[in-house]
Amino acid sequence: MSQTRVVVVGSANMDLVAMAPALPRPGETMLGTDFVMVPGGKGANQAVAAVRAGASCAFLGAIGSDAFGVTLRARITAAGVDTDHLRVVYGASGVALVMVNQEGENAILVTPGANGSFTGLTDAELATIRGADVLVAQLEIPVETVAAAAVAARAAGTRVILNAAPARAVPPELLAAVDLLVVNEGEAQALTGRGREEPRALLDLAPRAVLTLGGEGARYVDREGTDVHVPAVRVDVVDSTAAGDAFTAALAVGWGEGRDVVDAVRWAAAAGAACVRRLGASVALPRRAEIDELYAPG
């Protein structure tokens, strides 16, 4: 089997992660217990996760000219991701301030920095997208860039997975190019006005959709009538920060390798479970052997 080629178009941030017994309330100062500084951003996380899950992966995005940008490029490249077309723009890189409580729940504040300047895809970037088996995108960068990438991928026969996070308006030209939509409950509510009780409402937006349900697993639906609940894999939760990114990347890799979509969702659920067992974002993303260890075929 040839190695699946994934291209991720998205954000790169430096994550400043603090652990505390509980998440502070507005106006409250709380003593934390641990701190780590690791590369993150949904795009960079999903690119690293795709490589660890067994794909070759190119990452298209933008970092700043600051020290965080230097570290981000070095760490993402060291993870095995192709960063030949990763842009460097003058100014600050994206930064995420992440607070995690002892149950693994988190609160995150993101300042986009260079991610907000990632517009106007170049010929080289478009060629990279057209050469992929699967394009993965999110909404932490300008939506017009995501739309342009998806339209180019669709025209070339490349599958398009949109992780519509964070929740925001999605233009029709982007939705028309999406093969598989991945959202959590809040994002589904924002997109359709309906929550977990009506996941098939997502099929008004894309031909296939996965609704992630945290500790309850995920629901897969498609326009051919499939409606399957995939239960979560039970593990001890340390930090849920990048679980969704591990899930989306593994879904792309599994589907790109030829698994049927439901089986790819089961494999992705194992990736999400493997991720939450460690603190941090990119450092917690699981390798293929860890995913396989937790994977339970239907």
Side-chain angles (χ1 to χ4, degrees):
M1 180 177 64
S2 60
Q3 191 175 34
T4 296
R5 176 71 169 172
V6 174
V7 170
V8 176
V9 175
S11 60
N13 300 319
M14 185 59 74
D15 287 356
L16 309 179
V17 185
M19 293 282 289
L23 300 177
R25 296 182 295 270
E28 180 182 16
T29 298
M30 179 174 293
L31 288 177
T33 56
D34 294 285
F35 173 79
V36 292
M37 184 175 75
V38 294
K42 296 191 74 64
N45 286 345
Q46 290 175 13
V48 172
V51 169
R52 292 186 178 177
S56 67
C57 182
F59 176 52
L60 304 180
I63 54 176
S65 57
D66 56 359
F68 284 163
V70 173
T71 303
L72 283 168
R73 177 185 286 278
R75 295 281 189 87
I76 297 168
T77 303
V81 177
D82 177 355
T83 58
D84 286 352
H85 299 296
L86 178 59
R87 300 184 192 180
V88 179
V89 299
Y90 181 77
S93 298
V95 173
L97 306 177
V98 184
M99 295 180 292
V100 184
N101 68 14
Q102 60 188 2
E103 284 78 39
E105 298 173 324
N106 60 58
I108 305 173
L109 173 66
V110 178
T111 57
N115 296 303
S117 71
F118 184 39
T119 58
L121 292 172
T122 66
D123 289 344
E125 289 166 340
L126 289 169
T128 300
I129 291 167
R130 295 185 185 111
D133 297 307
V134 184
L135 172 73
V136 179
Q138 326 78 33
L139 299 176
E140 287 186 337
I141 59 174
V143 70
E144 60 267 27
T145 304
V146 179
V151 169
R154 167 56 67 89
T158 296
R159 288 173 172 169
V160 178
I161 295 178
L162 175 64
N163 178 204
R168 58 192 294 191
V170 182
E173 63 270 23
L174 172 53
L175 290 174
V178 172
D179 293 295
L180 175 58
L181 182 66
V182 180
V183 292
N184 64 21
E185 294 181 73
E187 293 148 6
Q189 181 70 36
L191 286 171
T192 68
R194 302 171 188 176
R196 61 189 296 165
E197 70 281 356
E198 294 187 60
R200 297 193 67 81
L202 294 167
L203 300 179
D204 292 338
L205 307 176
R208 305 169 190 84
V210 176
L211 175 62
T212 59
L213 301 169
E216 296 180 42
R219 187 96 165 261
Y220 170 74
V221 294
D222 63 32
R223 289 176 182 169
E224 296 178 355
T226 307
D227 188 337
V228 177
H229 174 250
V230 175
V233 180
R234 299 301 173 191
V235 294
D236 292 330
V237 177
V238 174
D239 179 8
S240 63
T241 302
D245 296 330
F247 179 98
T248 301
L251 177 59
V253 175
W255 195 26
E257 289 178 347
R259 296 174 187 260
D260 67 66
V261 191
V262 173
D263 189 52
V265 172
R266 295 187 191 280
W267 200 62
C275 182
V276 303
R277 298 185 296 185
R278 288 192 292 271
L279 175 65
S282 59
V283 294
L285 297 168
R287 300 189 182 278
R288 190 178 184 99
E290 298 174 89
I291 302 172
D292 287 341
E293 179 187 356
L294 295 178
Y295 164 65

